[in-house]
PDB file of all heavy atoms in Angstrom:
ATOM      1  N   GLY A  33      37.293  57.660 159.809  1.00 97.00           N
ATOM      2  CA  GLY A  33      36.894  57.892 161.201  1.00 97.00           C
ATOM      3  C   GLY A  33      37.160  56.626 162.011  1.00 97.00           C
ATOM      4  O   GLY A  33      37.732  55.670 161.516  1.00 97.00           O
ATOM      5  N   PRO A  34      36.767  56.598 163.292  1.00 97.00           N
ATOM      6  CA  PRO A  34      37.009  55.431 164.119  1.00 97.00           C
ATOM      7  C   PRO A  34      36.473  54.146 163.536  1.00 97.00           C
ATOM      8  O   PRO A  34      37.156  53.096 163.586  1.00 97.00           O
ATOM      9  CB  PRO A  34      36.306  55.772 165.437  1.00 97.00           C
ATOM     10  CG  PRO A  34      36.310  57.289 165.483  1.00 97.00           C
ATOM     11  CD  PRO A  34      36.145  57.728 164.046  1.00 97.00           C
ATOM     12  N   GLY A  35      35.271  54.173 162.944  1.00 97.00           N
ATOM     13  CA  GLY A  35      34.671  52.975 162.390  1.00 97.00           C
ATOM     14  C   GLY A  35      35.471  52.439 161.208  1.00 97.00           C
ATOM     15  O   GLY A  35      35.731  51.238 161.095  1.00 97.00           O
ATOM     16  N   GLY A  36      35.834  53.346 160.291  1.00 98.00           N
ATOM     17  CA  GLY A  36      36.604  52.935 159.109  1.00 98.00           C
ATOM     18  C   GLY A  36      37.968  52.390 159.488  1.00 98.00           C
ATOM     19  O   GLY A  36      38.456  51.413 158.909  1.00 98.00           O
ATOM     20  N   ILE A  37      38.610  53.042 160.459  1.00 98.00           N
ATOM     21  CA  ILE A  37      39.932  52.587 160.878  1.00 98.00           C
ATOM     22  C   ILE A  37      39.864  51.234 161.556  1.00 98.00           C
ATOM     23  O   ILE A  37      40.709  50.376 161.325  1.00 98.00           O
ATOM     24  CB  ILE A  37      40.547  53.635 161.862  1.00 98.00           C
ATOM     25  CG1 ILE A  37      40.820  54.963 161.108  1.00 98.00           C
ATOM     26  CG2 ILE A  37      41.847  53.128 162.472  1.00 98.00           C
ATOM     27  CD1 ILE A  37      41.185  56.118 162.053  1.00 98.00           C
ATOM     28  N   GLN A  38      38.825  51.032 162.383  1.00 98.00           N
ATOM     29  CA  GLN A  38      38.676  49.757 163.063  1.00 98.00           C
ATOM     30  C   GLN A  38      38.471  48.624 162.066  1.00 98.00           C
ATOM     31  O   GLN A  38      39.077  47.549 162.176  1.00 98.00           O
ATOM     32  CB  GLN A  38      37.516  49.822 164.034  1.00 98.00           C
ATOM     33  CG  GLN A  38      37.350  48.537 164.859  1.00 98.00           C
ATOM     34  CD  GLN A  38      38.434  48.352 165.903  1.00 98.00           C
ATOM     35  OE1 GLN A  38      38.282  48.805 167.015  1.00 98.00           O
ATOM     36  NE2 GLN A  38      39.521  47.698 165.526  1.00 98.00           N
ATOM     37  N   LEU A  39      37.606  48.844 161.076  1.00 98.00           N
ATOM     38  CA  LEU A  39      37.387  47.841 160.035  1.00 98.00           C
ATOM     39  C   LEU A  39      38.677  47.536 159.291  1.00 98.00           C
ATOM     40  O   LEU A  39      38.999  46.372 159.020  1.00 98.00           O
ATOM     41  CB  LEU A  39      36.306  48.310 159.077  1.00 98.00           C
ATOM     42  CG  LEU A  39      36.036  47.385 157.882  1.00 98.00           C
ATOM     43  CD1 LEU A  39      35.608  45.993 158.331  1.00 98.00           C
ATOM     44  CD2 LEU A  39      34.968  48.003 156.989  1.00 98.00           C
ATOM     45  N   ALA A  40      39.421  48.574 158.938  1.00 98.00           N
ATOM     46  CA  ALA A  40      40.676  48.386 158.213  1.00 98.00           C
ATOM     47  C   ALA A  40      41.643  47.545 159.018  1.00 98.00           C
ATOM     48  O   ALA A  40      42.389  46.722 158.442  1.00 98.00           O
ATOM     49  CB  ALA A  40      41.299  49.749 157.873  1.00 98.00           C
ATOM     50  N   TYR A  41      41.679  47.736 160.314  1.00 98.00           N
ATOM     51  CA  TYR A  41      42.601  46.948 161.184  1.00 98.00           C
ATOM     52  C   TYR A  41      42.335  45.463 161.013  1.00 98.00           C
ATOM     53  O   TYR A  41      43.265  44.668 160.859  1.00 98.00           O
ATOM     54  CB  TYR A  41      42.402  47.383 162.638  1.00 98.00           C
ATOM     55  CG  TYR A  41      43.109  46.493 163.623  1.00 98.00           C
ATOM     56  CD1 TYR A  41      44.469  46.656 163.894  1.00 98.00           C
ATOM     57  CD2 TYR A  41      42.437  45.472 164.289  1.00 98.00           C
ATOM     58  CE1 TYR A  41      45.131  45.831 164.810  1.00 98.00           C
ATOM     59  CE2 TYR A  41      43.083  44.656 165.194  1.00 98.00           C
ATOM     60  CZ  TYR A  41      44.429  44.837 165.472  1.00 98.00           C
ATOM     61  OH  TYR A  41      45.070  44.015 166.341  1.00 98.00           O
ATOM     62  N   TYR A  42      41.052  45.074 161.039  1.00 98.00           N
ATOM     63  CA  TYR A  42      40.728  43.652 160.945  1.00 98.00           C
ATOM     64  C   TYR A  42      40.884  43.104 159.519  1.00 98.00           C
ATOM     65  O   TYR A  42      41.263  41.950 159.327  1.00 98.00           O
ATOM     66  CB  TYR A  42      39.324  43.411 161.484  1.00 98.00           C
ATOM     67  CG  TYR A  42      39.292  43.398 162.998  1.00 98.00           C
ATOM     68  CD1 TYR A  42      38.769  44.476 163.694  1.00 98.00           C
ATOM     69  CD2 TYR A  42      39.850  42.358 163.702  1.00 98.00           C
ATOM     70  CE1 TYR A  42      38.785  44.505 165.070  1.00 98.00           C
ATOM     71  CE2 TYR A  42      39.857  42.347 165.107  1.00 98.00           C
ATOM     72  CZ  TYR A  42      39.322  43.423 165.759  1.00 98.00           C
ATOM     73  OH  TYR A  42      39.343  43.430 167.161  1.00 98.00           O
ATOM     74  N   LEU A  43      40.592  43.941 158.522  1.00 98.00           N
ATOM     75  CA  LEU A  43      40.841  43.500 157.139  1.00 98.00           C
ATOM     76  C   LEU A  43      42.343  43.253 156.941  1.00 98.00           C
ATOM     77  O   LEU A  43      42.746  42.268 156.282  1.00 98.00           O
ATOM     78  CB  LEU A  43      40.360  44.561 156.153  1.00 98.00           C
ATOM     79  CG  LEU A  43      38.849  44.755 156.045  1.00 98.00           C
ATOM     80  CD1 LEU A  43      38.533  45.894 155.084  1.00 98.00           C
ATOM     81  CD2 LEU A  43      38.168  43.487 155.588  1.00 98.00           C
ATOM     82  N   ILE A  52      41.473  52.809 152.640  1.00 98.00           N
ATOM     83  CA  ILE A  52      40.539  53.852 153.134  1.00 98.00           C
ATOM     84  C   ILE A  52      40.708  55.086 152.286  1.00 98.00           C
ATOM     85  O   ILE A  52      41.835  55.539 152.049  1.00 98.00           O
ATOM     86  CB  ILE A  52      40.830  54.182 154.611  1.00 98.00           C
ATOM     87  CG1 ILE A  52      40.657  52.970 155.507  1.00 98.00           C
ATOM     88  CG2 ILE A  52      39.906  55.294 155.078  1.00 98.00           C
ATOM     89  CD1 ILE A  52      40.949  53.250 156.964  1.00 98.00           C
ATOM     90  N   SER A  95      38.660  53.841 172.982  1.00 98.00           N
ATOM     91  CA  SER A  95      39.693  52.984 172.418  1.00 98.00           C
ATOM     92  C   SER A  95      39.152  52.159 171.237  1.00 98.00           C
ATOM     93  O   SER A  95      38.010  51.709 171.247  1.00 98.00           O
ATOM     94  CB  SER A  95      40.235  52.021 173.472  1.00 98.00           C
ATOM     95  OG  SER A  95      40.950  52.697 174.472  1.00 98.00           O
ATOM     96  N   LEU A  96      40.016  51.950 170.262  1.00 98.00           N
ATOM     97  CA  LEU A  96      39.746  50.970 169.213  1.00 98.00           C
ATOM     98  C   LEU A  96      40.331  49.643 169.645  1.00 98.00           C
ATOM     99  O   LEU A  96      41.273  49.575 170.450  1.00 98.00           O
ATOM    100  CB  LEU A  96      40.367  51.420 167.882  1.00 98.00           C
ATOM    101  CG  LEU A  96      39.834  52.750 167.311  1.00 98.00           C
ATOM    102  CD1 LEU A  96      40.470  53.015 165.953  1.00 98.00           C
ATOM    103  CD2 LEU A  96      38.328  52.744 167.195  1.00 98.00           C
ATOM    104  N   LEU A  97      39.791  48.568 169.116  1.00 97.00           N
ATOM    105  CA  LEU A  97      40.268  47.234 169.464  1.00 97.00           C
ATOM    106  C   LEU A  97      41.569  46.926 168.747  1.00 97.00           C
ATOM    107  O   LEU A  97      41.737  47.308 167.594  1.00 97.00           O
ATOM    108  CB  LEU A  97      39.212  46.199 169.114  1.00 97.00           C
ATOM    109  CG  LEU A  97      37.829  46.356 169.755  1.00 97.00           C
ATOM    110  CD1 LEU A  97      36.889  45.299 169.228  1.00 97.00           C
ATOM    111  CD2 LEU A  97      37.933  46.287 171.256  1.00 97.00           C
ATOM    112  N   SER A  98      42.453  46.224 169.437  1.00 97.00           N
ATOM    113  CA  SER A  98      43.707  45.777 168.821  1.00 97.00           C
ATOM    114  C   SER A  98      44.350  44.757 169.759  1.00 97.00           C
ATOM    115  O   SER A  98      43.878  44.516 170.864  1.00 97.00           O
ATOM    116  CB  SER A  98      44.675  46.948 168.584  1.00 97.00           C
ATOM    117  OG  SER A  98      45.280  47.345 169.807  1.00 97.00           O
ATOM    118  N   TYR A 126      47.171  55.422 166.165  1.00 98.00           N
ATOM    119  CA  TYR A 126      46.671  54.071 165.852  1.00 98.00           C
ATOM    120  C   TYR A 126      46.941  53.740 164.383  1.00 98.00           C
ATOM    121  O   TYR A 126      47.421  52.644 164.039  1.00 98.00           O
ATOM    122  CB  TYR A 126      45.172  54.032 166.148  1.00 98.00           C
ATOM    123  CG  TYR A 126      44.559  52.658 166.071  1.00 98.00           C
ATOM    124  CD1 TYR A 126      44.363  51.895 167.229  1.00 98.00           C
ATOM    125  CD2 TYR A 126      44.149  52.110 164.864  1.00 98.00           C
ATOM    126  CE1 TYR A 126      43.766  50.646 167.161  1.00 98.00           C
ATOM    127  CE2 TYR A 126      43.575  50.877 164.781  1.00 98.00           C
ATOM    128  CZ  TYR A 126      43.368  50.131 165.941  1.00 98.00           C
ATOM    129  OH  TYR A 126      42.780  48.883 165.853  1.00 98.00           O
TER     130      TYR A 126
END
Side-chain angles (χ1 to χ4, degrees):
I37 294 170
Q38 184 71 90
L39 176 59
Y41 171 82
Y42 282 106
L43 291 176
I52 299 178
S95 293
L96 298 183
L97 302 176
S98 77
Y126 189 98

